[in-house]
Amino acid sequence: AQKVTQAQTEISVVEKEDVTLDCVYETRDTTYYLFWYKQPPSGELVFLIRRNSFDEQNEISGRYSWNFQKSTSSFNFTITASQVVDSAVYFCALRSYNFNKFYFGSGTKLNVKP
Amino acid sequence: DGGITQSPKYLFRKEGQNVTLSCEQNLNHDAMYWYRQDPGQGLRLIYYSQIVNDFQKGDIAEGYSVSREKKESFPLTVTSAQKNPTAFYLCASSTGGGEKLFFGSGTQLSVL
């Protein structure tokens, strides 16, 4: 079975704090893809990153970084020096290589206060 | 600019009424999806289509129907059999092969 768990329902931080959003996934597939999306108040989901199961290298993009660990089935997302504009709901998602279906976690709502 | 257009942005349904949500894409994507979003529950898959004239049920297909007569269009009908239709509905598309999903801006459906 495919499953994505985002245990943090809501997180509140003060601007400039670092924050990590957790994502744990379950799959029996050896090849799969992991994604993070951001949903601002406008509602449209914005793609942030895709990682395939063969690539465990961590990635950094500006203030964003991602830590992928197959040993713990986790794909965590860290925002460094958070800003008010980072306030949104963040979703982690899993897609099997063999099936064109995406499985989403329940999302983590991030509130960044000035 | 290429993208996904959902309409209307807001929709109201009366008891016993069927309503149709529109989703059009000009990205030349083969695969299209409908998701339902309820507060605190994330995105749940209603239907998806990997190619024209073919579609599969997702996890919560009961009370919904779709068609895929054209590559660009994947309309979702919320039938009167769906007893709790109030939710935010998101349409998405993908090229397949592990590529990301592109999303529309969503339709908020409410019951009068």
Side-chain angles (χ1 to χ4, degrees):
Chain A
Q2 318 273 5
K3 185 179 179 182
V4 176
T5 301
Q6 294 180 256
Q8 302 153 310
T9 305
E10 188 166 353
I11 301 175
S12 292
V13 299
V14 176
E15 204 169 22
K16 297 185 182 178
E17 282 185 27
D18 298 347
V19 58
T20 295
L21 309 182
D22 298 332
C23 173
V24 174
Y25 62 92
E26 295 175 30
T27 181
R28 294 179 182 170
D29 297 332
T30 55
T31 303
Y32 50 90
Y33 302 90
L34 296 165
F35 302 81
W36 275 95
Y37 282 85
K38 174 182 180 180
Q39 185 180 39
S42 62
E44 183 172 341
L45 270 76
V46 177
F47 168 78
L48 295 177
I49 189 172
R50 181 191 78 154
R51 181 57 91 224
N52 72 51
S53 54
F54 295 138
D55 185 1
E56 284 195 73
Q57 280 190 335
N58 292 334
E59 179 152 341
I60 298 174
S61 176
R63 296 184 297 106
Y64 295 170
S65 63
W66 290 269
N67 184 315
F68 176 30
Q69 292 193 341
K70 288 181 75 171
S71 60
T72 56
S73 297
S74 65
F75 186 41
N76 296 337
F77 172 33
T78 297
I79 301 175
T80 302
S82 60
Q83 299 176 1
V84 172
V85 292
D86 295 328
S87 296
V89 180
Y90 291 86
F91 290 97
C92 181
L94 166 71
R95 180 195 176 277
S96 167
Y97 176 79
N98 292 318
F99 296 98
N100 209 0
K101 275 180 76 173
F102 292 74
Y103 296 86
F104 284 82
S106 56
T108 296
K109 184 176 183 182
L110 176 63
N111 302 305
V112 181
K113 302 175 183 177
Chain B
D1 288 340
I4 300 178
T5 301
Q6 288 188 242
S7 63
K9 190 169 179 66
Y10 301 97
L11 187 59
F12 297 91
R13 194 191 86 166
K14 296 179 181 178
E15 290 284 341
Q17 186 181 40
N18 293 350
V19 292
T20 297
L21 285 61
S22 172
C23 178
E24 303 278 332
Q25 55 102 355
N26 60 3
L27 299 167
N28 199 33
H29 287 171
D30 287 316
M32 296 187 74
Y33 307 78
W34 275 106
Y35 287 92
R36 169 176 170 146
Q37 185 177 17
D38 295 280
Q41 293 194 40
L43 277 68
R44 293 185 289 170
L45 183 63
I46 305 173
Y47 270 98
Y48 65 107
S49 167
Q50 303 204 62
I51 198 167
V52 175
N53 292 321
D54 185 50
F55 50 83
Q56 289 80 38
K57 293 182 178 180
D59 302 317
I60 55 165
E62 186 175 348
Y64 300 97
S65 66
V66 294
S67 63
R68 187 85 188 276
E69 297 175 0
K70 298 187 300 181
K71 189 175 186 177
E72 305 79 19
S73 179
F74 191 41
L76 174 73
T77 296
V78 184
T79 74
S80 57
Q82 174 49 248
K83 297 307 179 186
N84 183 24
T86 296
F88 188 59
Y89 291 85
L90 284 158
C91 179
S93 72
S94 169
T95 56
E99 291 302 316
K100 65 187 179 185
L101 285 174
F102 290 77
F103 282 89
S105 56
T107 295
Q108 175 65 51
L109 175 62
S110 303
V111 176
L112 288 176

